Amino acid sequence: GNRLRQSSSMQWATSEDAILHVESSRTAVAILGVNPSTWTEADVGQAYRALAKLLHPDRSSAEAGRSQAAFQKVHEARGALKSIVARRAPPPPRPAPPAPAQQPRPAKRAPASKPAMAGKRAKLAPQKEARPPEPSPKRAKPAAQ
């Protein structure tokens, strides 16, 4: 029969027991022996490592062909469940659009009412009155008649 284990600490006595379990299981969840309704990525990883240690062809005491086939089946089951986890996860946040390049702002000019020099001298110096510029003699307009 199917030796589905619902606990996360799955241990089979021998690699032959693990091979029989994998051969009799039909779904990825059953192959790895994780709880079908509450499995997590951590459960899948733990189950995969436990079975891989028993079923790896270099470590298994069972027949090499059966061991290789069972190991491949476990590997494919892990891949199938990991892809489900990837589809379940929310997509990563999109990066913010780049900010538009800003032009450097011109330096602020001091208000005209403040003297150019600070201190006592500025207060004592007479201020020139602003007059409109006089027209230059070269550009003098003829008088209107």
Side-chain angles (χ1 to χ4, degrees):
N2 188 354
R3 295 186 182 138
L4 178 65
R5 304 242 180 164
Q6 297 298 323
S7 70
S8 60
S9 60
M10 300 177 314
Q11 296 295 320
W12 288 271
T14 65
S15 58
E16 188 62 36
D17 287 343
I19 290 172
L20 288 173
H21 164 76
V22 171
E23 288 174 346
S24 65
S25 301
R26 294 183 182 252
T27 65
V29 171
I31 289 170
L32 293 175
V34 294
N35 187 325
S37 58
T38 62
W39 63 269
T40 64
E41 190 173 5
D43 295 337
V44 170
Q46 186 177 10
Y48 173 76
R49 283 186 295 277
L51 282 168
K53 284 180 185 177
L54 287 172
L55 298 176
H56 194 280
D58 293 342
R59 298 183 67 174
S60 175
S61 60
E63 179 187 327
R66 284 181 68 209
S67 177
Q68 176 66 32
F71 181 77
Q72 185 65 32
K73 208 170 173 184
V74 168
H75 185 71
E76 289 171 2
R78 175 179 154 240
L81 293 182
K82 285 187 80 146
S83 69
I84 290 171
V85 168
R87 287 192 305 264
R88 252 197 247 165
R94 296 172 72 185
Q102 293 184 357
Q103 298 294 327
R105 292 183 178 176
K108 289 187 177 181
R109 299 175 79 193
S113 62
K114 291 186 178 178
M117 295 176 27
K120 292 182 180 179
R121 277 201 265 156
K123 290 179 185 175
L124 299 176
Q127 298 288 324
K128 290 186 179 179
E129 290 185 27
R131 287 194 272 171
E134 292 181 20
S136 66
K138 294 179 184 176
R139 292 187 184 175
K141 292 182 181 179
Q145 294 180 354

